[in-house]
Amino acid sequence: MKHKKLLWQLVPTYLAITLGALLLVGWLAANTVHRFYISQTETDLEVRAHLIKEQVKKDFNLVNRLSLDSLSEALSQISSTRITFIDINGNVLGDSDEDPAEMENHSDRPEIKQALTAQKGVSIRYSTTLKKRMMYLAIPVKSDANESLGVVRVSLPLVTIKDALAHVYSGIAMGGLLGLILAAVISYLVSKRISNPLIEMKSGAIAFASGKLNHRLTSPPVEELSELSTAMNKMAVDLSKRIETVTRQRNELEAVLSSMVEGVFAVDIEEKLLRVNRSAQALLGVKSENWQGRTLTEAVRNPDLQRFVIDILENHETIEDEIVVGDKFLQVHGTILHDAADREFGALVVMNDITRLRKLENIRREFAANVSHELRTPITSIKGFVETLRDGAIDDKESAVHFLDITAKHTNRLNAIIEDLLSLARIEQNTESDRIELTRGSVRDVIMSAVGISLQKASEKGIPIEINCSVDAHADIAAPLLERAIVNLLDNAINYSGKGSQVMVNVEKQNSEIVISVKDSGCGIDAEYLPRLFERFYRVDPDRSRKLGGTGLGLAIVKHIALAHNGKVSVESKLGEGSEFRIYLPHS
Ligand code: ADP
């Protein structure tokens, strides 16, 4: 529907009312004037009729009646009226305008009938003789003895009335037109006075709707509108306060959810995501702009998680589960959401990332299996040789000594593994509980001491150890541990290098770190083994390691010693060309 402006509704209404009133007044005025003219004419005619009657009464006898026609003409000229004399039978005796001989009998004319029976007869009708609308007034003519002699009829054409009325009508029309123009102007001004404040209020309401709640409406002079503007201003203030409260509450909720380590997301009954906190976005791999307005299925393609949410929504209960999303293990806890009226409106899921826990469990399991495996070999050998000795070999002294040598070798190996495991466990524990004491000391001294320990083994194999320690760096160190790490690296460098190769120990400062590198030109390691090299019991060639008396824990100890110093380790190696192991120590 097309809406009209208030102005264009009010102005035509005012005009219609004014016009209606003018028409009514005009009609009433015209009617009154008409009636007044008619009665005036009637009175006038009656007076004239009576005057004429008195004049002609005596001529209504049989003798004089022939003179009535000429009398009618004479009197008509004096009184400017058509005059007709009629006898009691309706025969026209004289007429000022026509020849009575040619006129028909008038006994059927209403004014004549009335005049013969009453005091007067009046009729307004169209005269076929004169072709005009006429007013006829007839009065009886009576003898002195009250005997009816005939009728005197006077008449006037009503054209005069019509002319007079036309003047009145044009006067009314002119006045009406002026009144109408005046009404139009006044109604326009009045309408403006009403509609202007309304227009201002409309723009104020639009401003409120578009969020400009600081806007204030001015108070219009009209009382009702003024009250309305006050109410609207109050509404804006209330609304602003409410929005402020809601925004603050939302921000608080947002802040709480954002700072939660747990991933939290909420869905409605249709599984549409209502809220996904930052942790949940990271855990589920969804971007903040990606989840809004989407369902869980659209945002996260994980059937297990979808089934979990469906289970909560269908079973209306709190459930727990473990779900794998990508490379993460999530412990999920889901519950139904209720609104203030206790109606279910969705589900809330809280997720804990237990990937590290699971990985640690796996490492622990793997470690236990590795330890068992590592220990089983020497124990099986020792058991075998002890049984062989008991079964008689003990009597053969030569064999017995040989077997006991082997048993001793395996025992040493067991001891070495256990020693290394204990060292590793101690370093790890002390690192975790922050019990490793780091004191300011010379890195160069530690290197010199470590090289001193490995020197004999190196010279046995004919491998020279070159030390390049130009800077006498000082750092916060646990000297015995750092020495152990460098000895381990030197041991490996000697073990996995052939005769004629050489080992180089290098110390240098790089930005805020001291880098100790042990480089050899030995067998080197294939790139595929490098990522796992620092794991416990990880060996590239287990047989070779065992033959060399290795426990498979040397590099793991190096890594944990570096971590105990808040540092790190790295390796670079090329098969057949040699390896370089580095320890990075923080330096300040
Ligand atoms: P292991 O007791 O076997 O030496 P480590 O933890 O010290 O155990 O070393 C793990 C594995 O890394 C070794 O078995 C060996 O295969 C490889 N490795 C370590 N250092 C070197 C090196 N300098 N050159 C070649 N391979 C090495």
Side-chain angles (χ1 to χ4, degrees):
M1 194 179 112
K2 182 140 173 39
H3 297 285
K4 268 201 239 161
K5 286 197 169 187
L6 182 67
L7 190 69
W8 301 125
Q9 298 211 7
L10 288 177
V11 173
T13 312
Y14 285 144
L15 287 183
I17 293 169
T18 313
L19 190 67
L22 282 172
L23 286 176
L24 189 68
V25 169
W27 179 77
L28 283 175
N31 252 6
T32 312
V33 170
H34 186 265
R35 254 186 281 120
F36 175 74
Y37 268 86
I38 295 284
S39 78
Q40 274 294 103
T41 313
E42 191 183 321
T43 315
D44 188 22
L45 282 178
E46 194 175 348
V47 170
R48 291 183 206 186
H50 276 289
L51 285 173
I52 293 164
K53 180 189 89 177
E54 290 308 319
Q55 292 269 324
V56 297
K57 194 167 148 187
K58 58 181 186 321
D59 298 314
F60 260 79
N61 52 45
L62 281 170
V63 184
N64 294 338
R65 64 169 53 181
L66 284 173
S67 64
L68 280 174
D69 189 33
S70 54
L71 208 55
S72 69
E73 274 171 38
L75 287 171
S76 168
Q77 284 204 343
I78 301 164
S79 62
S80 321
T81 323
R82 180 184 174 195
I83 299 169
T84 315
F85 300 125
I86 298 148
D87 70 6
I88 50 168
N89 298 320
N91 299 314
V92 178
L93 303 175
D95 189 276
S96 55
D97 291 13
E98 299 289 323
D99 180 5
E102 284 172 18
M103 288 172 76
E104 58 190 29
N105 187 292
H106 271 44
S107 58
D108 60 339
R109 303 293 195 269
E111 71 278 5
I112 306 296
K113 275 189 194 164
Q114 283 170 26
L116 287 174
T117 53
Q119 287 303 309
K120 81 175 170 186
V122 182
S123 167
I124 295 170
R125 70 192 135 76
Y126 189 77
S127 158
T128 43
T129 324
L130 296 176
K131 311 250 183 297
K132 279 178 189 163
R133 200 169 153 74
M134 305 283 288
M135 176 183 261
Y136 298 94
L137 187 131
I139 54 168
V141 181
K142 291 187 176 167
S143 65
D144 297 337
N146 207 19
E147 185 189 345
S148 244
L149 300 172
V151 171
V152 172
R153 186 181 79 170
V154 286
S155 60
L156 266 177
L158 286 181
V159 184
T160 5
I161 298 175
K162 224 176 154 189
D163 287 347
L165 277 178
H167 278 294
V168 175
Y169 283 143
S170 67
I172 289 172
M174 279 304 288
L177 193 67
L178 274 176
L180 216 58
I181 292 168
L182 204 65
V185 173
I186 292 170
S187 66
Y188 179 80
L189 293 176
V190 170
S191 304
K192 268 269 176 210
R193 232 170 94 85
I194 298 171
S195 69
N196 276 353
L198 283 177
I199 289 169
E200 203 204 314
M201 263 181 222
K202 183 187 86 176
S203 42
I206 290 172
F208 291 156
S210 64
K212 290 177 196 148
L213 294 172
N214 291 333
H215 180 87
R216 289 289 170 269
L217 298 171
T218 49
S219 181
V222 183
E223 189 189 338
E224 288 86 345
L225 294 181
S226 165
E227 282 169 8
L228 181 62
S229 80
T230 312
M232 281 175 76
N233 282 340
K234 190 175 172 305
M235 180 197 76
V237 172
D238 289 352
L239 212 61
S240 167
K241 275 188 196 154
R242 245 176 247 185
I243 288 175
E244 216 171 88
T245 312
V246 170
T247 311
R248 202 190 54 242
Q249 284 172 348
R250 202 195 58 189
N251 289 346
E252 281 167 7
L253 180 67
E254 206 65 58
V256 170
L257 283 175
S258 296
S259 49
M260 275 177 80
V261 182
E262 290 87 358
V264 180
F265 72 85
V267 291
D268 66 8
I269 297 288
E270 264 96 42
E271 287 175 54
K272 194 174 261 183
L273 287 164
L274 300 173
R275 211 171 266 273
V276 183
N277 79 346
R278 213 181 295 155
S279 301
Q281 287 170 22
L283 289 176
L284 301 175
V286 286
K287 286 191 185 130
S288 54
E289 65 273 16
N290 269 5
W291 62 266
Q292 261 135 359
R294 303 174 83 187
T295 62
L296 179 68
T297 321
E298 287 163 352
V300 187
R301 298 199 181 279
N302 188 296
D304 292 339
L305 193 60
Q306 281 150 28
R307 205 161 304 121
F308 180 73
V309 170
I310 290 169
D311 276 355
I312 309 169
L313 292 172
E314 280 179 356
N315 301 324
H316 316 280
E317 57 183 26
T318 302
I319 44 176
E320 265 185 55
D321 205 349
E322 273 184 32
I323 287 173
V324 181
V325 177
D327 58 351
K328 292 194 182 77
F329 286 90
L330 302 180
Q331 187 183 45
V332 284
H333 187 281
T335 188
I336 277 284
L337 283 173
H338 292 97
D339 62 12
D342 210 28
R343 280 185 305 247
E344 290 178 4
F345 75 91
L348 180 80
V349 177
V350 180
M351 303 177 290
N352 275 304
D353 187 359
I354 52 164
T355 314
R356 217 172 88 83
L357 211 71
R358 280 279 166 278
K359 273 191 185 153
L360 282 176
E361 270 172 25
N362 282 345
I363 290 172
R364 207 168 296 141
R365 221 173 289 134
E366 216 174 279
F367 176 66
N370 283 340
V371 171
S372 315
H373 180 74
E374 288 297 326
L375 296 181
R376 195 188 301 128
T377 322
I379 286 172
T380 313
S381 302
I382 293 166
K383 194 175 165 238
F385 286 117
V386 169
E387 276 169 5
T388 315
L389 285 170
R390 199 186 52 198
D391 288 349
I394 198 161
D395 298 328
D396 178 356
K397 199 175 173 217
E398 210 176 308
S399 308
V401 171
H402 176 63
F403 288 156
L404 285 173
D405 279 348
I406 300 173
T407 308
K409 209 180 107 200
H410 282 300
T411 312
N412 287 340
R413 184 169 161 65
L414 271 179
N415 192 42
I417 293 172
I418 287 162
E419 277 294 319
D420 277 358
L421 279 174
L422 283 174
S423 306
L424 201 54
R426 214 173 298 126
I427 296 164
E428 259 189 297
Q429 252 176 20
N430 290 344
T431 309
E432 265 169 35
S433 56
D434 223 9
R435 267 188 298 174
I436 290 181
E437 252 184 61
L438 302 178
T439 46
R440 201 88 184 151
S442 157
V443 176
R444 186 199 186 104
D445 289 352
V446 177
I447 287 170
M448 295 314 284
S449 150
V451 171
I453 294 168
S454 306
L455 211 55
Q456 195 194 345
K457 196 173 179 179
S459 59
E460 274 169 17
K461 264 190 112 174
I463 296 172
I465 302 177
E466 194 185 311
I467 303 166
N468 185 5
C469 191
S470 54
V471 281
D472 185 14
H474 278 72
D476 294 334
I477 50 171
L481 287 181
L482 190 59
E483 181 190 281
R484 169 96 194 256
I486 297 164
V487 169
N488 279 6
L489 292 179
L490 285 170
D491 264 4
N492 281 347
I494 297 160
N495 280 342
Y496 299 103
S497 299
K499 257 202 166 93
S501 56
Q502 64 164 18
V503 173
M504 219 160 82
V505 182
N506 202 30
V507 180
E508 59 180 22
K509 274 188 201 166
Q510 273 180 17
N511 302 325
S512 58
E513 286 173 321
I514 293 174
V515 185
I516 305 165
S517 107
V518 176
K519 192 175 178 184
D520 65 60
S521 51
C523 63
I525 307 157
D526 197 298
E528 67 170 299
Y529 302 114
L530 294 179
R532 298 193 60 191
L533 212 61
F534 290 93
E535 286 179 17
R536 291 174 178 91
F537 297 117
Y538 190 79
R539 298 175 176 106
V540 177
D541 180 352
D543 282 343
R544 183 171 177 187
S545 159
R546 275 189 206 106
K547 257 181 227 147
L548 291 166
T551 58
L553 294 166
L555 287 180
I557 290 172
V558 174
K559 180 179 129 183
H560 282 278
I561 289 173
L563 291 177
H565 283 82
N566 301 314
K568 61 180 184 188
V569 287
S570 77
V571 57
E572 262 178 50
S573 187
K574 251 191 187 156
L575 199 60
E577 286 182 22
S579 319
E580 183 175 0
F581 287 85
R582 292 194 198 99
I583 297 174
Y584 298 80
L585 300 177
H587 175 64
S588 52

